[in-house]
Amino acid sequence: MPTREEAWELLNEYNKEEFHLKHARVVEGVMKYFARELGYAEEADFWGIVGLLHDLDFGMYPEEHCTKCQEIMKERGIDDRIIHATASHGYGITVDIKPEHEMEKVLYAVDELTGLIGAVAIMRPSKSTMDLELSSVKKKYKTPKFAAGCSREVIENGAKMLGWELDDLIQRTILALREVEQTTGLV
């Protein structure tokens, strides 16, 4: 498994836009939060690396998203579990690699959701998740034009994969994002 620093360097080789780098760091933090919350605390760094690298290929190869990353990571000798996990978040969209482990299902569910919740947060006067409530996210969630690039279908499929109610997934992700905001300042 690459160290966090090695993963960050690799991500920066293929992603130059600040938006993508920020998203990777947010998802990294959310994944570490869920690892601890779901009883995988000893694997929190692994979950974080998966979150950090999940969009490795998106910056340079958006048309080959979740396919090109497999090739890149194999060439670098990265653990097959990381390759499978990062690729599986594109299940049914760009690849047929189904999320199997709970960690992969979390990544699949929260990738789009972190973007949507972040968009809700930055529209608030506080520009923060710290005072963000489930009801505010649900209101915007129901508005198809709001954060239209965040697939509600993927979020809902992710909740189903996890066996969670959608409200539960959203609430847990808000809490994860609050922790990320507290520790990194990122929303």
Side-chain angles (χ1 to χ4, degrees):
M1 184 173 92
T3 65
R4 198 275 179 192
E5 292 74 24
E6 291 167 341
W8 179 248
E9 287 176 18
L10 178 60
L11 180 68
N12 276 269
E13 280 183 48
Y14 291 91
N15 291 271
K16 303 301 179 194
E17 291 184 33
E18 185 56 38
F19 172 82
H20 291 146
L21 297 172
K22 176 184 171 185
H23 173 67
R25 291 177 57 209
V26 167
V27 175
E28 172 191 24
V30 167
M31 292 298 291
K32 289 175 90 168
Y33 172 90
F34 275 108
R36 291 189 308 276
E37 289 297 309
L38 297 174
Y40 299 94
E42 71 283 351
E43 293 184 20
D45 290 338
F46 173 73
W47 285 43
I49 296 289
V50 168
L52 192 65
L53 292 177
H54 81 282
D55 281 344
L56 173 65
D57 58 6
F58 194 79
M60 293 180 85
Y61 305 100
E63 301 302 317
E64 298 177 77
H65 184 43
C66 297
T67 301
K68 189 69 174 175
C69 70
Q70 296 174 65
E71 179 184 315
I72 294 167
M73 289 189 209
K74 282 179 185 170
E75 288 173 0
R76 302 291 178 108
I78 292 180
D79 187 297
D80 286 339
R81 294 183 313 148
I82 295 173
I83 295 170
H84 187 277
T86 55
S88 73
H89 91 279
Y91 177 66
I93 306 160
T94 58
V95 295
D96 292 329
I97 300 168
K98 188 173 183 176
E100 295 168 359
H101 187 277
E102 190 170 24
M103 177 263 298
E104 295 172 344
K105 294 172 185 178
V106 168
L107 177 62
Y108 180 88
V110 303
D111 180 33
E112 299 284 317
L113 185 55
T114 57
L116 189 136
I117 293 171
V120 174
I122 61 171
M123 291 195 64
R124 301 175 57 75
S126 67
K127 300 200 179 312
S128 173
T129 59
M130 303 313 285
D131 60 352
L132 183 61
E133 298 297 329
L134 174 63
S135 59
S136 297
V137 175
K138 285 185 66 178
K139 182 178 178 183
K140 293 294 189 182
Y141 186 91
K142 292 176 184 176
T143 306
K145 290 184 179 180
F146 179 80
C150 298
S151 171
R152 275 69 165 169
E153 181 182 359
V154 168
I155 295 166
E156 291 163 15
N157 287 341
K160 287 176 190 169
M161 281 182 196
L162 287 163
W164 299 352
E165 294 296 322
L166 180 61
D167 284 4
D168 188 34
L169 173 63
I170 294 170
Q171 183 61 47
R172 288 176 176 213
T173 306
I174 291 170
L175 296 176
L177 286 166
R178 284 181 185 165
E179 181 177 285
V180 171
E181 185 176 346
Q182 283 179 324
T183 59
T184 67
L186 300 172
V187 178

